[in-house]
Amino acid sequence: MEHESGYEVSPTAADAMRRSIDSEALYAKSQEDLLTATSINPTPTTVPPPIAALAGNIGERHVLIFIGLPLVGKRTIALRLKRYLRFFHGAKCKAFDIAKFSPAANGGNQTTMTSPMDADAQALDFFDRLRNFLEGSDDKPPQAMEVDDVMTAFAARRASVNGVDPVDRNAKNVDSGRVAIVFSSDAMSTFYENWSGSSKERRRWILARLATLSDSSKSKIRVKTIFIEVTLTKPDLVDNILEQKLDRDVREGRLRNSRDRDTAASEWKDRVNDYRKLYVTLQEDGSEDDLSYIKLINYGERVLTNRMRAYLPQRIVQFLTATHPTKHTIYLCRHGQSEYNTTGRLGGNSPITERGWVFAEILARFAAEHVCNLKEVKTPQSTLCSDLDDPYLAATPGETIWSSRDASDPKGASVPSRLWTSSMLRTIQTAALIPHPVLKLPDGGNWESMSPRVYRNIDEIFAGDCEGMTPDEVAVAHPQATTLRKMDKIGYRYPRGESYFDLISRIEPCIQEMESYTEPLLIVSHQAILRCIFAYLTGVDRESAPGMETQIQQNVVYQIDLDASSEGKITGDPNHPPAFVTVHDFRREVEARVTDRRAAGGSGFYPQGR
Ligand code: F6P
């Protein structure tokens, strides 16, 4: 059997490759045939080069302990970090909420200390759970190893070549790293738990306990422990988190009226003040300099790190510097219909069609009214300006003029907002009609709202040799591409092109920036990219993202409202998005307007030259 590369692949290996369901594989499954001996490469590498999305993360164990006062957003940040490390770094992550294991937090006496014996027993039980996760002994055995003797032979061959025991979890290609994230959703009640890390002694206890893993465990795992302390010093940030908590309690029926709410607010403030007297912050007097830690002060505003040199710790610092639980909204939409879309061609850089421009017009109004809260000054004519020679210049809608609202407006002040497009003509054109007036900020500064920013990182997947082809043409020109891509859509790299893993790596810097924003952000991009961003934001596994074939439609805007409660709403199911997603579906409106324009003899619709 001939592989696309022109090398011979033995039928057994090819079969094994197809049947491979090794869930722990660290490489793209579609590259597995490259590990097979051929006549010109009789001793192949046992593991292909690591894909970028997994680099530097092999076999390591991290325990991240969130500490700090109650009501600072620790739980939200901990769960977001988990989502980020899974999606962008392929790490196996598990969150451990101390409050779930603590009798004090589960209705016990919250004002008195748990007896030392109870506390020890709980701490050890908690430790066992952590150890099981870190050692991987709570995993189901990989199905392929059990049922597929071809795969067993394949694993044995790997072992015999590099001399590595296939069950050694430190070995390259066996495990992609594990991160245990420990936090308390009820820091007040769990104060006396050793795992709360609320004093120097408790932090030492945690370190000593985790150090025993490297001596006692079968696999001799090494564990890096990192403390993450979240502190808020700004009253507006404290109030914001408290408000979000009270809103949640009202929504979920724990509080009934505004009197309840006021009482609850003052109780919470008292509880935080009590806790402040007991809690011992990470010390900078030299006594805790041997610890790895991050101090987040007002989220990313001031970040202090100690002993955080290494691949994953540095990624963690970067992410934590960006993320925050303050309310903000991300809007995602695909470009309007492009010329290539009409014939089903992949990639390219074609302009948008009449239907695409109709969506651009609708999107401009949506952005002005819904995202930025602008005021329409003059009703638009139904024509778009038609004298632009440069296709990259914004076509301005005929007569529409938008102005800003100030705080005295009954509809409230206009909202400073952001806009990103890819560098491709079809997204730039789709966003070209969006107005971007200059707004006055409360501090007296100016903000050009929706000022367009072009990012190459969010360009569509590059299909390499298949660019510009239809799927049928791909099937003829690259017969293996269709099969391999079906088998492993996330890992399959188009010949001289990209895979979804490549996309995930290249959007990561943009995601970091997106996380840091508090203003609404509208992203006009492409199908494959938006599947990844949408999956990440809604907590869908990255392996499922490429298969989200129906979730991201053209002529639809997906509104994603994030706040301190969003992590709790995540479903992880691509077919049931969480409640914080609102879908603005303009498909019918686009079709109706196209029909009307054509009925009215709508020629001259496009700006010239398109
Ligand atoms: O067909 C439109 C398009 O954006 C192509 O340019 C791109 O190759 C494709 O969608 C990505 O979708 P999929 O990964 O499902 O092929």
Side-chain angles (χ1 to χ4, degrees), residues 334 341 345-347 426 460-461 463 485 489 494 500 526-528 531 546 549:
R334 283 183 71 189
N341 288 153
R345 300 196 173 278
L346 305 179
R426 54 195 186 276
E460 182 54 310
I461 189 167
R485 198 159 191 255
K489 197 168 176 190
Y494 278 109
Y500 271 81
H526 308 263
Q527 173 150 265
R531 279 182 194 146
E549 313 238 316

Side-chain angles (χ1 to χ4, degrees), residues 37-260:
T38 63
S39 52
I40 67 155
N41 184 17
T43 53
T45 175
T46 52
V47 186
I51 46 176
L54 291 169
N57 189 25
I58 293 167
E60 298 201 302
R61 303 288 184 278
H62 291 85
V63 179
L64 315 181
I65 319 255
F66 276 80
I67 60 176
L69 298 185
L71 272 187
V72 289
K74 293 188 296 293
R75 177 176 174 276
T76 309
I77 295 176
L79 295 178
R80 271 201 198 154
L81 180 61
K82 173 180 154 199
R83 192 153 52 74
Y84 163 78
L85 292 175
R86 278 163 79 143
F87 198 91
F88 288 102
H89 299 283
K92 286 208 165 74
C93 294
K94 196 163 178 173
F96 293 84
D97 182 355
I98 311 166
K100 294 247 166 71
F101 299 94
S102 159
N106 287 305
N109 187 343
Q110 301 189 355
T111 52
T112 58
M113 188 173 155
T114 319
S115 84
M117 261 175 64
D118 284 356
D120 279 355
Q122 284 149 28
L124 291 176
D125 176 41
F126 191 78
F127 176 62
D128 280 344
R129 288 167 200 265
L130 262 183
R131 181 175 54 204
N132 286 343
F133 168 69
L134 294 168
E135 287 182 342
S137 42
D138 58 353
D139 278 6
K140 293 187 196 88
Q143 297 168 52
M145 293 297 186
E146 276 194 339
V147 298
D148 192 333
D149 51 2
V150 181
M151 277 311 296
T152 312
F154 191 71
R157 186 180 67 76
R158 271 198 311 230
S160 70
V161 172
N162 62 14
V164 169
D165 175 356
V167 297
D168 178 351
R169 293 192 165 273
N170 274 326
K172 197 175 180 194
N173 190 33
V174 177
D175 197 310
S176 65
R178 278 162 191 263
V179 184
I181 302 182
V182 178
F183 65 93
S184 173
S185 58
D186 189 350
M188 197 65 197
S189 304
T190 56
F191 178 82
Y192 293 105
E193 306 283 336
N194 278 329
W195 288 100
S196 71
S198 53
S199 68
K200 276 167 75 169
E201 292 70 27
R202 293 188 181 98
R203 293 193 278 272
R204 287 287 160 202
W205 184 93
I206 292 172
L207 285 177
R209 184 51 59 184
L210 290 172
T212 63
L213 279 177
S214 41
D215 314 324
S216 66
S217 84
K218 285 178 285 180
S219 49
K220 306 256 176 286
I221 55 173
R222 282 185 314 278
V223 176
K224 285 187 184 165
T225 306
I226 298 172
F227 292 97
I228 301 168
E229 184 177 68
V230 187
T231 311
L232 296 184
T233 60
K234 287 189 162 173
D236 58 324
L237 291 177
V238 175
D239 290 348
N240 181 292
I241 284 284
L242 182 58
E243 285 302 309
Q244 289 196 52
K245 173 165 177 45
L246 296 173
D247 286 350
R248 203 160 59 237
D249 286 353
V250 170
R251 244 189 348 261
E252 292 167 9
R254 285 185 290 275
L255 298 176
R256 278 162 317 188
N257 50 41
S258 56
R259 250 186 59 206
D260 272 8

